[in-house]
PDB file of all heavy atoms in Angstrom:
ATOM      1  N   CYS A  82       9.361  27.256 -14.285  1.00  0.00           N
ATOM      2  CA  CYS A  82       9.967  28.424 -14.957  1.00  0.00           C
ATOM      3  C   CYS A  82       8.956  29.550 -15.113  1.00  0.00           C
ATOM      4  O   CYS A  82       9.293  30.731 -14.943  1.00  0.00           O
ATOM      5  CB  CYS A  82      10.517  28.015 -16.317  1.00  0.00           C
ATOM      6  SG  CYS A  82      11.913  26.888 -16.219  1.00  0.00           S
ATOM      7  N   THR A  83       7.725  29.209 -15.428  1.00  0.00           N
ATOM      8  CA  THR A  83       6.682  30.228 -15.569  1.00  0.00           C
ATOM      9  C   THR A  83       6.416  30.923 -14.245  1.00  0.00           C
ATOM     10  O   THR A  83       6.281  32.160 -14.188  1.00  0.00           O
ATOM     11  CB  THR A  83       5.392  29.593 -16.113  1.00  0.00           C
ATOM     12  OG1 THR A  83       5.684  28.951 -17.359  1.00  0.00           O
ATOM     13  CG2 THR A  83       4.303  30.628 -16.317  1.00  0.00           C
ATOM     14  N   LEU A  84       6.323  30.161 -13.170  1.00  0.00           N
ATOM     15  CA  LEU A  84       6.092  30.765 -11.853  1.00  0.00           C
ATOM     16  C   LEU A  84       7.286  31.597 -11.408  1.00  0.00           C
ATOM     17  O   LEU A  84       7.116  32.635 -10.752  1.00  0.00           O
ATOM     18  CB  LEU A  84       5.764  29.683 -10.824  1.00  0.00           C
ATOM     19  CG  LEU A  84       4.401  29.016 -11.019  1.00  0.00           C
ATOM     20  CD1 LEU A  84       4.234  27.875 -10.020  1.00  0.00           C
ATOM     21  CD2 LEU A  84       3.272  30.013 -10.884  1.00  0.00           C
ATOM     22  N   ALA A  85       8.488  31.170 -11.743  1.00  0.00           N
ATOM     23  CA  ALA A  85       9.676  31.970 -11.412  1.00  0.00           C
ATOM     24  C   ALA A  85       9.646  33.304 -12.155  1.00  0.00           C
ATOM     25  O   ALA A  85       9.927  34.366 -11.573  1.00  0.00           O
ATOM     26  CB  ALA A  85      10.949  31.203 -11.760  1.00  0.00           C
ATOM     27  N   ALA A  86       9.284  33.285 -13.427  1.00  0.00           N
ATOM     28  CA  ALA A  86       9.188  34.527 -14.202  1.00  0.00           C
ATOM     29  C   ALA A  86       8.058  35.407 -13.688  1.00  0.00           C
ATOM     30  O   ALA A  86       8.188  36.640 -13.619  1.00  0.00           O
ATOM     31  CB  ALA A  86       8.985  34.210 -15.680  1.00  0.00           C
ATOM     32  N   ALA A  87       6.934  34.799 -13.301  1.00  0.00           N
ATOM     33  CA  ALA A  87       5.816  35.573 -12.753  1.00  0.00           C
ATOM     34  C   ALA A  87       6.212  36.221 -11.430  1.00  0.00           C
ATOM     35  O   ALA A  87       5.826  37.362 -11.149  1.00  0.00           O
ATOM     36  CB  ALA A  87       4.598  34.676 -12.570  1.00  0.00           C
ATOM     37  N   HIS A  88       6.977  35.514 -10.620  1.00  0.00           N
ATOM     38  CA  HIS A  88       7.437  36.074  -9.352  1.00  0.00           C
ATOM     39  C   HIS A  88       8.352  37.274  -9.601  1.00  0.00           C
ATOM     40  O   HIS A  88       8.240  38.312  -8.938  1.00  0.00           O
ATOM     41  CB  HIS A  88       8.145  35.000  -8.542  1.00  0.00           C
ATOM     42  CG  HIS A  88       8.456  35.421  -7.146  1.00  0.00           C
ATOM     43  ND1 HIS A  88       9.410  34.799  -6.395  1.00  0.00           N
ATOM     44  CD2 HIS A  88       7.958  36.399  -6.350  1.00  0.00           C
ATOM     45  CE1 HIS A  88       9.490  35.375  -5.214  1.00  0.00           C
ATOM     46  NE2 HIS A  88       8.612  36.357  -5.165  1.00  0.00           N
ATOM     47  N   ALA A  89       9.236  37.134 -10.568  1.00  0.00           N
ATOM     48  CA  ALA A  89      10.121  38.248 -10.904  1.00  0.00           C
ATOM     49  C   ALA A  89       9.323  39.427 -11.449  1.00  0.00           C
ATOM     50  O   ALA A  89       9.584  40.585 -11.091  1.00  0.00           O
ATOM     51  CB  ALA A  89      11.163  37.798 -11.927  1.00  0.00           C
ATOM     52  N   TYR A  90       8.338  39.169 -12.297  1.00  0.00           N
ATOM     53  CA  TYR A  90       7.495  40.232 -12.854  1.00  0.00           C
ATOM     54  C   TYR A  90       6.675  40.904 -11.759  1.00  0.00           C
ATOM     55  O   TYR A  90       6.475  42.118 -11.767  1.00  0.00           O
ATOM     56  CB  TYR A  90       6.585  39.653 -13.935  1.00  0.00           C
ATOM     57  CG  TYR A  90       5.864  40.702 -14.742  1.00  0.00           C
ATOM     58  CD1 TYR A  90       6.473  41.307 -15.828  1.00  0.00           C
ATOM     59  CD2 TYR A  90       4.561  41.076 -14.424  1.00  0.00           C
ATOM     60  CE1 TYR A  90       5.823  42.264 -16.578  1.00  0.00           C
ATOM     61  CE2 TYR A  90       3.899  42.031 -15.159  1.00  0.00           C
ATOM     62  CZ  TYR A  90       4.539  42.624 -16.236  1.00  0.00           C
ATOM     63  OH  TYR A  90       3.881  43.573 -16.964  1.00  0.00           O
ATOM     64  N   TYR A  91       6.201  40.116 -10.808  1.00  0.00           N
ATOM     65  CA  TYR A  91       5.446  40.663  -9.677  1.00  0.00           C
ATOM     66  C   TYR A  91       6.322  41.622  -8.867  1.00  0.00           C
ATOM     67  O   TYR A  91       5.868  42.682  -8.432  1.00  0.00           O
ATOM     68  CB  TYR A  91       4.941  39.521  -8.788  1.00  0.00           C
ATOM     69  CG  TYR A  91       4.321  39.984  -7.495  1.00  0.00           C
ATOM     70  CD1 TYR A  91       3.031  40.473  -7.464  1.00  0.00           C
ATOM     71  CD2 TYR A  91       5.035  39.923  -6.297  1.00  0.00           C
ATOM     72  CE1 TYR A  91       2.461  40.898  -6.281  1.00  0.00           C
ATOM     73  CE2 TYR A  91       4.480  40.342  -5.120  1.00  0.00           C
ATOM     74  CZ  TYR A  91       3.182  40.831  -5.107  1.00  0.00           C
ATOM     75  OH  TYR A  91       2.623  41.251  -3.934  1.00  0.00           O
ATOM     76  N   ASN A  92       7.575  41.255  -8.664  1.00  0.00           N
ATOM     77  CA  ASN A  92       8.483  42.112  -7.898  1.00  0.00           C
ATOM     78  C   ASN A  92       8.789  43.426  -8.605  1.00  0.00           C
ATOM     79  O   ASN A  92       9.138  44.414  -7.954  1.00  0.00           O
ATOM     80  CB  ASN A  92       9.789  41.378  -7.597  1.00  0.00           C
ATOM     81  CG  ASN A  92       9.601  40.333  -6.521  1.00  0.00           C
ATOM     82  OD1 ASN A  92       8.688  40.425  -5.710  1.00  0.00           O
ATOM     83  ND2 ASN A  92      10.439  39.325  -6.532  1.00  0.00           N
ATOM     84  N   LEU A  93       8.649  43.463  -9.929  1.00  0.00           N
ATOM     85  CA  LEU A  93       8.838  44.708 -10.660  1.00  0.00           C
ATOM     86  C   LEU A  93       7.670  45.675 -10.475  1.00  0.00           C
ATOM     87  O   LEU A  93       7.804  46.862 -10.756  1.00  0.00           O
ATOM     88  CB  LEU A  93       9.021  44.419 -12.155  1.00  0.00           C
ATOM     89  CG  LEU A  93      10.311  43.717 -12.543  1.00  0.00           C
ATOM     90  CD1 LEU A  93      10.280  43.371 -14.021  1.00  0.00           C
ATOM     91  CD2 LEU A  93      11.511  44.578 -12.213  1.00  0.00           C
ATOM     92  N   GLN A  94       6.532  45.176 -10.026  1.00  0.00           N
ATOM     93  CA  GLN A  94       5.319  45.971  -9.768  1.00  0.00           C
ATOM     94  C   GLN A  94       4.912  46.788 -10.987  1.00  0.00           C
ATOM     95  O   GLN A  94       4.666  47.981 -10.909  1.00  0.00           O
ATOM     96  CB  GLN A  94       5.511  46.871  -8.554  1.00  0.00           C
ATOM     97  CG  GLN A  94       5.769  46.106  -7.294  1.00  0.00           C
ATOM     98  CD  GLN A  94       6.031  47.008  -6.110  1.00  0.00           C
ATOM     99  OE1 GLN A  94       6.161  48.211  -6.245  1.00  0.00           O
ATOM    100  NE2 GLN A  94       6.090  46.415  -4.938  1.00  0.00           N
ATOM    101  N   MET A  95       4.814  46.107 -12.122  1.00  0.00           N
ATOM    102  CA  MET A  95       4.470  46.766 -13.376  1.00  0.00           C
ATOM    103  C   MET A  95       2.970  47.018 -13.512  1.00  0.00           C
ATOM    104  O   MET A  95       2.565  48.027 -14.057  1.00  0.00           O
ATOM    105  CB  MET A  95       4.946  45.926 -14.562  1.00  0.00           C
ATOM    106  CG  MET A  95       6.436  45.687 -14.579  1.00  0.00           C
ATOM    107  SD  MET A  95       7.363  47.148 -14.960  1.00  0.00           S
ATOM    108  CE  MET A  95       7.189  47.189 -16.706  1.00  0.00           C
ATOM    109  N   ARG A  96       2.150  46.087 -13.041  1.00  0.00           N
ATOM    110  CA  ARG A  96       0.693  46.208 -13.173  1.00  0.00           C
ATOM    111  C   ARG A  96       0.041  45.937 -11.828  1.00  0.00           C
ATOM    112  O   ARG A  96       0.510  45.141 -11.041  1.00  0.00           O
ATOM    113  CB  ARG A  96       0.161  45.230 -14.205  1.00  0.00           C
ATOM    114  CG  ARG A  96       0.658  45.544 -15.588  1.00  0.00           C
ATOM    115  CD  ARG A  96      -0.075  44.731 -16.584  1.00  0.00           C
ATOM    116  NE  ARG A  96       0.398  45.114 -17.912  1.00  0.00           N
ATOM    117  CZ  ARG A  96      -0.358  45.123 -18.960  1.00  0.00           C
ATOM    118  NH1 ARG A  96      -1.609  44.781 -18.870  1.00  0.00           N
ATOM    119  NH2 ARG A  96       0.134  45.468 -20.127  1.00  0.00           N
ATOM    120  N   GLU A  97      -1.098  46.572 -11.618  1.00  0.00           N
ATOM    121  CA  GLU A  97      -1.811  46.438 -10.350  1.00  0.00           C
ATOM    122  C   GLU A  97      -3.226  45.889 -10.508  1.00  0.00           C
ATOM    123  O   GLU A  97      -3.838  45.494  -9.531  1.00  0.00           O
ATOM    124  CB  GLU A  97      -1.880  47.806  -9.653  1.00  0.00           C
ATOM    125  CG  GLU A  97      -0.525  48.376  -9.287  1.00  0.00           C
ATOM    126  CD  GLU A  97       0.169  47.598  -8.195  1.00  0.00           C
ATOM    127  OE1 GLU A  97      -0.516  47.094  -7.295  1.00  0.00           O
ATOM    128  OE2 GLU A  97       1.398  47.480  -8.258  1.00  0.00           O
ATOM    129  N   GLU A  98      -3.788  45.950 -11.728  1.00  0.00           N
ATOM    130  CA  GLU A  98      -5.192  45.587 -11.914  1.00  0.00           C
ATOM    131  C   GLU A  98      -5.326  44.221 -12.550  1.00  0.00           C
ATOM    132  O   GLU A  98      -4.577  43.914 -13.473  1.00  0.00           O
ATOM    133  CB  GLU A  98      -5.888  46.632 -12.798  1.00  0.00           C
ATOM    134  CG  GLU A  98      -5.972  47.993 -12.159  1.00  0.00           C
ATOM    135  CD  GLU A  98      -6.833  48.026 -10.928  1.00  0.00           C
ATOM    136  OE1 GLU A  98      -7.837  47.305 -10.877  1.00  0.00           O
ATOM    137  OE2 GLU A  98      -6.491  48.757  -9.999  1.00  0.00           O
ATOM    138  N   PRO A  99      -6.252  43.397 -12.181  1.00  0.00           N
ATOM    139  CA  PRO A  99      -7.193  43.505 -11.077  1.00  0.00           C
ATOM    140  C   PRO A  99      -6.526  43.295  -9.717  1.00  0.00           C
ATOM    141  O   PRO A  99      -6.875  43.935  -8.753  1.00  0.00           O
ATOM    142  CB  PRO A  99      -8.221  42.432 -11.363  1.00  0.00           C
ATOM    143  CG  PRO A  99      -7.559  41.452 -12.257  1.00  0.00           C
ATOM    144  CD  PRO A  99      -6.468  42.191 -12.965  1.00  0.00           C
ATOM    145  N   THR A 100      -5.568  42.379  -9.635  1.00  0.00           N
ATOM    146  CA  THR A 100      -4.712  42.262  -8.450  1.00  0.00           C
ATOM    147  C   THR A 100      -3.283  42.092  -8.957  1.00  0.00           C
ATOM    148  O   THR A 100      -3.072  41.583 -10.062  1.00  0.00           O
ATOM    149  CB  THR A 100      -5.090  41.060  -7.568  1.00  0.00           C
ATOM    150  OG1 THR A 100      -4.891  39.857  -8.312  1.00  0.00           O
ATOM    151  CG2 THR A 100      -6.530  41.147  -7.081  1.00  0.00           C
ATOM    152  N   PRO A 101      -2.294  42.491  -8.175  1.00  0.00           N
ATOM    153  CA  PRO A 101      -0.911  42.387  -8.656  1.00  0.00           C
ATOM    154  C   PRO A 101      -0.472  40.958  -9.004  1.00  0.00           C
ATOM    155  O   PRO A 101       0.206  40.740 -10.003  1.00  0.00           O
ATOM    156  CB  PRO A 101      -0.088  42.951  -7.504  1.00  0.00           C
ATOM    157  CG  PRO A 101      -1.022  43.823  -6.751  1.00  0.00           C
ATOM    158  CD  PRO A 101      -2.373  43.203  -6.899  1.00  0.00           C
ATOM    159  N   VAL A 102      -0.880  39.987  -8.194  1.00  0.00           N
ATOM    160  CA  VAL A 102      -0.469  38.600  -8.451  1.00  0.00           C
ATOM    161  C   VAL A 102      -1.108  38.088  -9.739  1.00  0.00           C
ATOM    162  O   VAL A 102      -0.445  37.493 -10.590  1.00  0.00           O
ATOM    163  CB  VAL A 102      -0.835  37.693  -7.253  1.00  0.00           C
ATOM    164  CG1 VAL A 102      -0.573  36.235  -7.572  1.00  0.00           C
ATOM    165  CG2 VAL A 102      -0.079  38.124  -6.017  1.00  0.00           C
ATOM    166  N   TYR A 103      -2.400  38.325  -9.890  1.00  0.00           N
ATOM    167  CA  TYR A 103      -3.111  37.873 -11.088  1.00  0.00           C
ATOM    168  C   TYR A 103      -2.557  38.553 -12.338  1.00  0.00           C
ATOM    169  O   TYR A 103      -2.360  37.902 -13.377  1.00  0.00           O
ATOM    170  CB  TYR A 103      -4.604  38.152 -10.948  1.00  0.00           C
ATOM    171  CG  TYR A 103      -5.421  37.724 -12.134  1.00  0.00           C
ATOM    172  CD1 TYR A 103      -5.741  36.393 -12.327  1.00  0.00           C
ATOM    173  CD2 TYR A 103      -5.864  38.643 -13.065  1.00  0.00           C
ATOM    174  CE1 TYR A 103      -6.486  35.987 -13.422  1.00  0.00           C
ATOM    175  CE2 TYR A 103      -6.603  38.258 -14.162  1.00  0.00           C
ATOM    176  CZ  TYR A 103      -6.915  36.929 -14.323  1.00  0.00           C
ATOM    177  OH  TYR A 103      -7.644  36.536 -15.415  1.00  0.00           O
ATOM    178  N   ALA A 104      -2.309  39.847 -12.253  1.00  0.00           N
ATOM    179  CA  ALA A 104      -1.784  40.590 -13.404  1.00  0.00           C
ATOM    180  C   ALA A 104      -0.411  40.064 -13.811  1.00  0.00           C
ATOM    181  O   ALA A 104      -0.135  39.878 -15.001  1.00  0.00           O
ATOM    182  CB  ALA A 104      -1.713  42.077 -13.073  1.00  0.00           C
ATOM    183  N   ALA A 105       0.454  39.809 -12.842  1.00  0.00           N
ATOM    184  CA  ALA A 105       1.787  39.290 -13.151  1.00  0.00           C
ATOM    185  C   ALA A 105       1.703  37.893 -13.762  1.00  0.00           C
ATOM    186  O   ALA A 105       2.374  37.592 -14.747  1.00  0.00           O
ATOM    187  CB  ALA A 105       2.648  39.271 -11.893  1.00  0.00           C
ATOM    188  N   LEU A 106       0.883  37.047 -13.181  1.00  0.00           N
ATOM    189  CA  LEU A 106       0.758  35.679 -13.679  1.00  0.00           C
ATOM    190  C   LEU A 106       0.180  35.660 -15.093  1.00  0.00           C
ATOM    191  O   LEU A 106       0.674  34.942 -15.963  1.00  0.00           O
ATOM    192  CB  LEU A 106      -0.097  34.838 -12.739  1.00  0.00           C
ATOM    193  CG  LEU A 106      -0.171  33.356 -13.047  1.00  0.00           C
ATOM    194  CD1 LEU A 106       1.202  32.721 -12.952  1.00  0.00           C
ATOM    195  CD2 LEU A 106      -1.135  32.664 -12.108  1.00  0.00           C
ATOM    196  N   MET A 107      -0.836  36.464 -15.355  1.00  0.00           N
ATOM    197  CA  MET A 107      -1.440  36.487 -16.683  1.00  0.00           C
ATOM    198  C   MET A 107      -0.479  37.027 -17.737  1.00  0.00           C
ATOM    199  O   MET A 107      -0.426  36.517 -18.856  1.00  0.00           O
ATOM    200  CB  MET A 107      -2.729  37.307 -16.686  1.00  0.00           C
ATOM    201  CG  MET A 107      -3.902  36.597 -16.080  1.00  0.00           C
ATOM    202  SD  MET A 107      -4.325  35.065 -16.944  1.00  0.00           S
ATOM    203  CE  MET A 107      -3.640  33.832 -15.873  1.00  0.00           C
ATOM    204  N   GLN A 108       0.291  38.038 -17.392  1.00  0.00           N
ATOM    205  CA  GLN A 108       1.262  38.575 -18.346  1.00  0.00           C
ATOM    206  C   GLN A 108       2.306  37.528 -18.721  1.00  0.00           C
ATOM    207  O   GLN A 108       2.628  37.337 -19.885  1.00  0.00           O
ATOM    208  CB  GLN A 108       1.960  39.808 -17.764  1.00  0.00           C
ATOM    209  CG  GLN A 108       1.088  41.026 -17.686  1.00  0.00           C
ATOM    210  CD  GLN A 108       0.733  41.540 -19.051  1.00  0.00           C
ATOM    211  OE1 GLN A 108      -0.385  41.366 -19.510  1.00  0.00           O
ATOM    212  NE2 GLN A 108       1.673  42.162 -19.709  1.00  0.00           N
ATOM    213  N   VAL A 109       2.831  36.839 -17.726  1.00  0.00           N
ATOM    214  CA  VAL A 109       3.880  35.843 -17.976  1.00  0.00           C
ATOM    215  C   VAL A 109       3.312  34.623 -18.698  1.00  0.00           C
ATOM    216  O   VAL A 109       3.948  34.090 -19.610  1.00  0.00           O
ATOM    217  CB  VAL A 109       4.574  35.458 -16.653  1.00  0.00           C
ATOM    218  CG1 VAL A 109       5.499  34.280 -16.842  1.00  0.00           C
ATOM    219  CG2 VAL A 109       5.326  36.647 -16.106  1.00  0.00           C
ATOM    220  N   VAL A 110       2.125  34.176 -18.329  1.00  0.00           N
ATOM    221  CA  VAL A 110       1.521  33.017 -18.999  1.00  0.00           C
ATOM    222  C   VAL A 110       1.217  33.359 -20.458  1.00  0.00           C
ATOM    223  O   VAL A 110       1.476  32.561 -21.357  1.00  0.00           O
ATOM    224  CB  VAL A 110       0.251  32.545 -18.259  1.00  0.00           C
ATOM    225  CG1 VAL A 110      -0.560  31.579 -19.096  1.00  0.00           C
ATOM    226  CG2 VAL A 110       0.635  31.895 -16.942  1.00  0.00           C
TER     227      VAL A 110
END
Side-chain angles (χ1 to χ4, degrees):
C82 293
T83 303
L84 290 175
H88 189 200
Y90 191 84
Y91 172 79
N92 286 336
L93 291 174
Q94 298 177 352
M95 300 289 280
R96 295 190 177 214
E97 297 292 325
E98 295 295 325
T100 63
V102 173
Y103 180 77
L106 187 62
M107 283 300 102
Q108 288 293 105
V109 171
V110 167

